[in-house]
Amino acid sequence: MGPTAGARELGTPVFLLNLKSYLPALGNGALTIGRRLQHAGRRFGVATAIAPSAASLETLSRALSIPVLAQHVDPFDPGARTGFLVPASLSATGVAGSLLNHSERRLPPPQVREAVNMLRASGLVSVVCAGSLAEATRLARYCRPEFLAVEPPELIGGNISVSVARPEVIQGTVRGVRRVSPRTQVLCGAGVKTGEDVRRALELGAKGILVSSAVAAAQDPARAIAELMHGFKS
Ligand code: G3P
């Protein structure tokens, strides 16, 4: 898979942008940032993907040609489930897959596994998040997702990148996950703010980054995206 992978396929190394619920990244803001990310990915030749809030999923998946992911799904079949986001609703709108078990939206491990299986059955991709090397290895073995993103929670939203502060977490996760689930590709996130943070993450064996506040809360998202893009090219 490369930067030209289709709208439902994540290429690697990937720049995966989680918009969370940051105010500048809601509504039209999500679309504007998505377009900037798509444009920059083409310009730099880097695979990109975006995870907007649930309210923007359909709009972005229709407007963009890069993969659009949910930030969370509930592993249930369609039916009487008020307020849930079920996997079937994603495939119906061209969404490529979902983040799962983000540290801001945790799920019990059996539900993570169920969600991975349900997404896979619909041809959708799973990016399972873990807060530590131990959890990453455990979930990779138990769920065998396409992607595993390791993000120490204490570094999320800060200015010190996991690739600088805890390089051993990335290296250990890459090794541990490869042992238990060779199909799973490791991403890393938490505090990623600069091209140098990205470069180090890739050097440590990550197949991409999961990033949020550097772009979604930035005054100038286009500039923030370009800064991170340089790390993929150096
Ligand atoms: O999902 C991405 C994430 O939790 C990292 O957030 O703001 O540290 O890039 P941030």
Side-chain angles (χ1 to χ4, degrees):
M1 283 182 289
T4 52
R8 286 207 171 199
E9 234 181 304
L10 265 68
T12 55
V14 66
F15 180 149
L16 171 49
L17 175 59
N18 177 6
L19 296 181
K20 300 195 177 182
S21 300
Y22 283 109
L23 187 58
L26 299 177
N28 281 339
L31 190 53
T32 305
I33 294 174
R35 288 198 168 118
R36 299 216 154 117
L37 180 67
Q38 176 171 286
H39 176 76
R42 284 190 186 138
R43 186 173 139 228
F44 285 84
V46 171
T48 58
I50 189 164
S53 80
S56 295
L57 279 172
E58 185 163 1
T59 306
L60 265 64
S61 72
R62 288 190 195 285
L64 303 178
S65 55
I66 61 174
V68 175
L69 274 68
Q71 295 175 5
H72 163 84
V73 286
D74 301 293
F76 300 113
D77 289 324
R81 298 261 179 207
T82 304
F84 286 72
L85 188 64
V86 297
S89 64
L90 303 189
S91 27
T93 49
V95 171
S98 185
L99 306 183
L100 294 166
N101 194 46
H102 192 278
S103 75
E104 291 148 14
R105 194 67 165 85
R106 304 268 288 169
L107 280 170
Q111 288 198 19
V112 179
R113 181 155 80 169
E114 185 60 16
V116 169
N117 290 339
M118 291 181 80
L119 289 166
R120 185 170 295 138
S122 300
L124 304 181
V125 71
S126 299
V127 181
V128 171
C129 301
S132 66
L133 194 172
E135 189 191 12
T137 312
R138 222 171 27 243
L139 284 172
R141 180 188 291 120
Y142 183 56
C143 306
R144 302 187 191 278
E146 287 73 29
F147 291 89
L148 191 302
V150 64
E151 302 195 308
E154 69 280 7
L155 298 174
I156 291 178
N159 286 320
I160 302 176
S161 166
V162 57
S163 54
V164 172
R166 307 280 308 278
E168 73 286 357
V169 172
I170 302 175
Q171 273 174 322
T173 302
V174 169
R175 267 192 230 115
V177 168
R178 188 180 299 138
R179 212 177 45 243
V180 299
S181 178
R183 70 182 301 168
T184 303
Q185 315 230 47
V186 173
L187 309 182
C188 74
V192 175
K193 291 283 184 298
T194 67
E196 176 61 13
D197 296 340
V198 176
R199 193 191 64 72
R200 291 173 87 138
L202 301 180
E203 197 176 82
L204 292 165
K207 290 293 183 196
I209 52 157
L210 177 55
V211 65
S212 183
S213 53
V215 176
Q219 300 239 328
D220 185 345
R223 189 182 176 145
I225 289 168
E227 163 63 33
L228 294 167
M229 285 290 178
H230 287 293
F232 284 88
K233 301 318 272 181
S234 46

